Amino acid sequence: MKNEKLTTDEYDALEQVARGIKTERVSACVARNTKRLSGLKLLSYRQDGRLSVTDKAQQLLFVRRCINGLRAIAADPLAPLEADVAYFLGKKAHIVARASGEGYDISDKGTESLADIGSLGL
């Protein structure tokens, strides 16, 4: 992305569309943000006229979940992580499993990444 920052409302709209819209009408949050998110190539309309997230949006949401997971582990080593997030952060050596078997510790690389993320304002 070209350094486009998304608001919390825009992230919420992406997550709602990613989960699937069950009714004909979209929520006010999604309706408010559709134009901008479509322009950023994060949302698209399928052939049946329904909204869907693009691959770019799925990656963006996953990265956001990883950042939030890393922050959660930094605050509380026993914080629960989703399996795919824990696997990814462990594979990238940002977290390490605790010897006791419960929770994770943040590694030096993870601490550096959090500092970089904080300096970017993400």
Side-chain angles (χ1 to χ4, degrees), residues 15 60-70 82 84-85:
E15 288 172 358
L60 182 69
L61 289 172
F62 181 72
V63 168
R64 183 171 188 240
R65 288 179 24 228
C66 289
I67 291 169
N68 289 340
L70 197 56
E82 297 172 42
D84 57 344
V85 171

Side-chain angles (χ1 to χ4, degrees), residues 40-56:
L40 294 174
K41 307 284 190 238
L42 297 173
L43 288 180
S44 64
Y45 285 95
R46 295 187 305 207
Q47 290 192 0
D48 64 358
R50 292 187 173 259
L51 277 173
S52 65
V53 293
T54 62
D55 291 339
K56 182 179 173 181

Side-chain angles (χ1 to χ4, degrees), residues 8-117:
T8 303
D9 197 40
E10 290 167 336
Y11 276 116
D12 290 343
L14 278 177
E15 288 172 358
Q16 287 178 28
V17 174
R19 281 192 303 261
I21 298 172
K22 309 258 189 280
T23 62
E24 288 294 316
R25 297 187 66 171
V26 296
S27 69
C29 176
V30 173
R32 238 187 344 262
N33 296 295
T34 299
K35 184 176 181 179
R36 174 162 153 66
L37 294 173
S38 294
L40 294 174
K41 307 284 190 238
L42 297 173
L43 288 180
S44 64
Y45 285 95
R46 295 187 305 207
Q47 290 192 0
D48 64 358
R50 292 187 173 259
L51 277 173
S52 65
V53 293
T54 62
D55 291 339
K56 182 179 173 181
Q58 288 176 344
Q59 288 177 339
L60 182 69
L61 289 172
F62 181 72
V63 168
R64 183 171 188 240
R65 288 179 24 228
C66 289
I67 291 169
N68 289 340
L70 197 56
R71 286 179 177 151
I73 293 300
D76 177 19
L78 297 177
L81 287 179
E82 297 172 42
D84 57 344
V85 171
Y87 175 77
F88 180 78
L89 291 175
K91 190 84 166 161
K92 295 296 178 181
H94 285 54
I95 60 172
V96 291
R98 296 178 114 196
S100 65
E102 286 188 23
Y104 301 93
D105 287 322
I106 192 165
S107 67
D108 293 336
K109 185 176 180 182
T111 305
E112 290 173 15
S113 293
L114 272 180
D116 289 343
I117 291 166

Side-chain angles (χ1 to χ4, degrees), residues 1-5 39-40 56:
M1 266 173 52
K2 298 176 216 150
N3 218 6
E4 297 116 352
K5 289 188 180 180
L40 294 174
K56 182 179 173 181

